[in-house]
């Protein structure tokens, strides 16, 4: 059996299965065989996905692709949506 690349406490970006158009910050809680248990940060709920699911992304995926990311603090602001003077300060 191939070892999973997921480890407990790892942060990922994952599709919210209750709201499939939404990608949220999530924390890996456990890996059980082919299942990864994710805690959706700020949502007080868990979901299970296959370790090879196309709905789990590495941190930074939303920023690279331009997809909005729901964080525990609300939707993230993407760099290309930020005024140029704020980008220069980053």
């Amino acid at each position: 059996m191939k070892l999973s690349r997921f480890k407990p406490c790892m942060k990922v970006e994952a599709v919210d299965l209750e709201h499939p158009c939404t990608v949220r910050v999530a924390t890996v809680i456990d890996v059980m065989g082919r299942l990864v248990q994710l805690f959706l940060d700020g949502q007080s709920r868990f979901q299970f996905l296959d370790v090879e699911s196309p709905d789990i992304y590495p941190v930074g995926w939303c920023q690279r692709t331009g997809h909005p990311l729901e964080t525990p603090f609300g939707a993230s602001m993407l760099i290309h949506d930020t005024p140029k003077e704020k980008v220069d300060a980053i």
Side-chain angles (χ1 to χ4, degrees):
M1 184 168 97
K2 185 172 135 182
L3 290 176
S4 170
R5 65 185 182 274
F6 299 105
K7 306 289 180 230
C9 299
M10 176 185 266
K11 293 290 186 182
V12 295
E13 296 176 6
V15 172
D16 184 336
L17 298 179
E18 288 185 13
H19 307 280
C21 291
T22 304
V23 176
R24 298 187 185 280
V25 174
T27 304
V28 174
I29 299 301
D30 200 3
V31 180
M32 300 155 282
R34 292 191 54 86
L35 288 179
V36 60
Q37 181 183 18
L38 299 176
F39 176 76
L40 299 174
D41 296 2
Q43 294 297 299
S44 302
R45 60 190 168 87
F46 299 89
Q47 66 184 27
F48 292 87
L49 291 168
D50 186 280
V51 294
E52 295 192 26
S53 171
D55 294 331
I56 307 174
Y57 307 105
V59 172
W61 180 85
C62 284
Q63 185 175 16
R64 285 191 303 276
T65 63
H67 193 288
L69 175 65
E70 287 291 325
T71 71
F73 310 106
S76 66
M77 188 174 359
L78 300 173
I79 294 291
H80 64 272
D81 292 337
T82 306
K84 183 173 177 1
E85 58 274 4
K86 288 189 178 180
V87 171
D88 291 341
I90 294 177

